[in-house]
Amino acid sequence: MYHHSGSVAQQAAGSPTGLLDPRGPATEAILFQRCTWCGTAMYHRVLCPVCRGSDLRTERSEGTGTVRHSTVVHRNTPAARNVSLIEMSEGFVVRGRVMGPPIGIHSGDRVRLSTAQDPVRGEPVFQLVDEPYRAWT
């Protein structure tokens, strides 16, 4: 049976248990898992969605990503807010909120992590890296 163990440097970078550490690091960060069998990155999973492996290690994201989808929500909130799917540079997708006017967030916008958790909703909050030029919108 073949077992991909990865390099020693990669294993030292993350937790070998695959469980997210509730104490977390001192700085704001998103923790994600990476399958040690196939290398797939995922966010808060028990099994790898590709190979169904359970040998997952925890890693820290660098916090940059790209908006893949954004929608404006008016329900259960005093003001309109956006809900976005962010594809992180490590390859996993996370649901979060992008700061700024909800109508101004578009697919393809580059974002970076602002805080790892919104105090009200408990989801990550991102900010735009650069204001894109939108002459035609």
Side-chain angles (χ1 to χ4, degrees), residues 1 6 13 22 30 35-36 45 49 54 77 86 95-97 105 121 128 133:
M1 177 183 280
I30 292 181
C35 179
T36 56
R45 301 294 291 260
S54 62
T77 182
I86 310 295
R95 184 182 123 173
R97 181 172 60 90
I105 311 300
R121 305 220 180 263
L128 292 171
Y133 176 67

Side-chain angles (χ1 to χ4, degrees), residues 12-13 17 21 24 43 46 48 51-52 54 71 75 79 83 85-86 88 99 101-102 107 116 118 127 131 133-134:
T17 63
D21 184 7
Y43 185 67
V46 177
C48 174
C51 72
R52 301 291 184 225
S54 62
T71 187
R75 185 180 49 171
V83 176
L85 292 178
I86 310 295
M88 303 302 289
M99 292 189 300
S107 296
D118 182 333
Q127 60 187 5
E131 189 62 33
Y133 176 67
R134 302 214 186 275

Side-chain angles (χ1 to χ4, degrees), residues 29-74:
I30 292 181
L31 299 178
F32 68 99
Q33 296 99 344
R34 187 174 303 277
C35 179
T36 56
W37 285 83
C38 69
T40 301
M42 67 215 80
Y43 185 67
H44 288 257
R45 301 294 291 260
V46 177
L47 297 175
C48 174
V50 175
C51 72
R52 301 291 184 225
S54 62
D55 190 13
L56 309 176
R57 69 176 182 269
T58 301
E59 296 181 10
R60 174 181 288 148
S61 171
E62 68 179 43
T64 59
T66 304
V67 175
R68 286 295 159 224
H69 177 74
S70 185
T71 187
V72 178
V73 176
H74 298 277

Side-chain angles (χ1 to χ4, degrees), residues 99-131:
M99 292 189 300
I103 197 79
I105 311 300
H106 300 281
S107 296
D109 288 347
R110 293 184 8 216
V111 295
R112 74 170 172 261
L113 183 67
S114 177
T115 60
Q117 195 169 28
D118 182 333
V120 175
R121 305 220 180 263
E123 53 191 26
V125 178
F126 297 88
Q127 60 187 5
L128 292 171
V129 171
D130 47 21
E131 189 62 33

